[in-house]
């Protein structure tokens, strides 16, 4: 269960205060796919990053299966995130000097899990990337790179997945593929939170969180 309790995020620029997020509360149950919807600048990425343990709120608190990640020390927080949270960042990413397979294994290798290759290969096969395992990120298309990001986010079988505009820039076929896959993960028991203004995402949503209307 993901809980957000009266969370705000304030930035001070010169003498001006900007609320990227203002007194927001919500909860997302396990095995649900929630879509955060709203216009540009409404605080979607800020909310997602706060829920993913990446950005401490200025006010309020969050709870991820009963744990407030911002009460953990740095090292505990890294471990907690590595084990429980899969994050699919906006845009394309990947460590350019590592192959696709090495990129996918990275989150497992960081904490000394070394018998992960079989799982990574099987995940890449599921995602239709078996022929690209030894390629480098620069050699892949946008849709293929997004699938690599997803494989990397789920390699440690996290309890929660957070994705920022995961279908942005993808064609219809890749969009459906990515959304179906994330839906499948939620059915397997993961909580999935997607930021999206893509109408295609709506039909997969168990919950729609409309930014602007909840603030
Ligand atoms: N680091 C930051 N410093 C100052 N303002 C920020 C920062 N991050 C976000 N904002 C502002 O907060 C608002 C919400 O941003 P964001 O969460 O990225 O919105 P969205 O993802 O919905 O487009 C925007 O007005 C943005 O300019
Ligand atoms: Mg955003």
């Amino acid at each position: 269960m993901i809980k957000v309790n009266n969370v705000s995020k304030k930035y001070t620029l010169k003498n001006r205060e900007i609320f990227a997020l203002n007194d927001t509360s919500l909860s997302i149950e396990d095995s649900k796919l929630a879509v955060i919807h709203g216009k540009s600048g409404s605080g979607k990425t800020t909310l997602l990053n706060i829920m993913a343990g990446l950005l401490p709120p200025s006010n309020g608190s969050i709870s991820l299966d009963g744990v407030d990640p911002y009460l953990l020390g740095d090292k505990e927080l890294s471990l907690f995130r590595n084990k429980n949270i899969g994050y699919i960042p906006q845009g394309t990413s990947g460590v350019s000097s590592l192959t696709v397979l090495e990129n996918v294994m990275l989150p497992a290798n960081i904490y000394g899990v070394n018998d992960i290759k079989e799982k990574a290969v099987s995940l890449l096969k599921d995602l239709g990337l078996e022929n690209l395992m030894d390629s480098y990120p620069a050699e892949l298309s946008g849709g293929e790179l997004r699938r690599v990001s997803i494989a990397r986010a789920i390699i440690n079988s996290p309890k929660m997945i957070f994705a920022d505009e995961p279908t942005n820039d993808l064609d219809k076929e890749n969009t459906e593929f990515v959304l179906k896959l994330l839906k499948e993960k939620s059915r397997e028991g993961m909580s999935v939170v997607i930021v999206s203004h893509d109408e295609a995402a709506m039909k997969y949503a168990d919950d729609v969180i409309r930014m602007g209307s909840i603030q």
Side-chain angles (χ1 to χ4, degrees):
M1 176 92 153
I2 299 167
K3 280 187 172 173
V4 173
N5 309 308
N6 303 104
V7 160
S8 300
K9 184 69 187 180
K10 184 173 80 174
Y11 292 104
T12 308
L13 295 180
K14 300 202 175 121
N15 298 322
R16 219 156 51 91
E17 284 187 344
I18 295 173
F19 278 90
L21 200 63
N22 196 8
D23 197 18
T24 297
S25 299
L26 59 95
S27 57
I28 299 165
E29 281 170 39
D30 294 347
S31 304
K32 298 282 188 216
L33 189 151
V35 172
I36 303 177
H37 192 68
K39 60 182 195 308
S40 181
S42 59
K44 302 183 298 296
T45 296
T46 303
L47 175 61
L48 191 82
N49 289 345
I50 289 174
M51 286 195 280
L54 292 166
L55 183 72
S58 314
N59 283 299
S61 65
I62 70 159
S63 154
L64 305 174
D65 284 348
V67 175
D68 181 341
Y70 301 109
L71 297 180
L72 302 175
D74 279 357
K75 206 170 165 189
E76 286 173 306
L77 175 59
S78 306
L79 266 169
F80 178 83
R81 288 190 35 221
N82 189 259
K83 189 162 171 268
N84 298 292
I85 296 174
Y87 185 74
I88 302 165
Q90 190 163 13
T92 49
S93 67
V95 180
S96 59
S97 60
L98 298 180
T99 66
V100 164
L101 180 61
E102 287 164 347
N103 265 286
V104 172
M105 293 193 298
L106 194 58
N109 288 339
I110 282 173
Y111 285 102
V113 181
N114 291 315
D115 52 350
I116 203 73
K117 190 166 175 183
E118 211 174 304
K119 186 174 177 189
V121 169
S122 131
L123 207 50
L124 286 167
K125 278 190 183 145
D126 287 349
L127 294 169
L129 294 168
E130 66 267 40
N131 297 326
L132 297 170
M133 282 193 292
D134 299 320
S135 302
Y136 288 87
E139 299 160 354
L140 270 56
S141 72
E144 289 160 350
L145 274 175
R146 199 66 47 85
R147 279 182 270 157
V148 173
S149 292
I150 293 172
R152 194 178 41 202
I154 60 184
I155 188 78
N156 285 347
S157 305
K159 290 189 204 152
M160 300 158 224
I161 303 175
F162 298 94
D164 200 350
E165 312 266 12
T167 60
N168 214 8
D169 306 331
L170 298 188
D171 59 24
K172 208 168 165 233
E173 195 183 337
N174 274 299
T175 294
E176 294 295 331
F177 185 94
V178 163
L179 291 170
K180 271 198 187 113
L181 182 83
L182 291 172
K183 184 73 176 183
E184 212 177 283
K185 292 294 145 195
S186 77
R187 287 292 167 262
E188 287 170 15
M190 296 182 193
S191 307
V192 179
V193 186
I194 302 177
V195 165
S196 182
H197 50 241
D198 197 333
E199 283 306 318
M202 294 305 160
K203 66 174 190 279
Y204 293 92
D206 297 305
D207 280 328
V208 177
I209 297 158
R210 291 188 196 282
M211 299 299 290
S213 61
I214 58 164
Q215 289 183 32

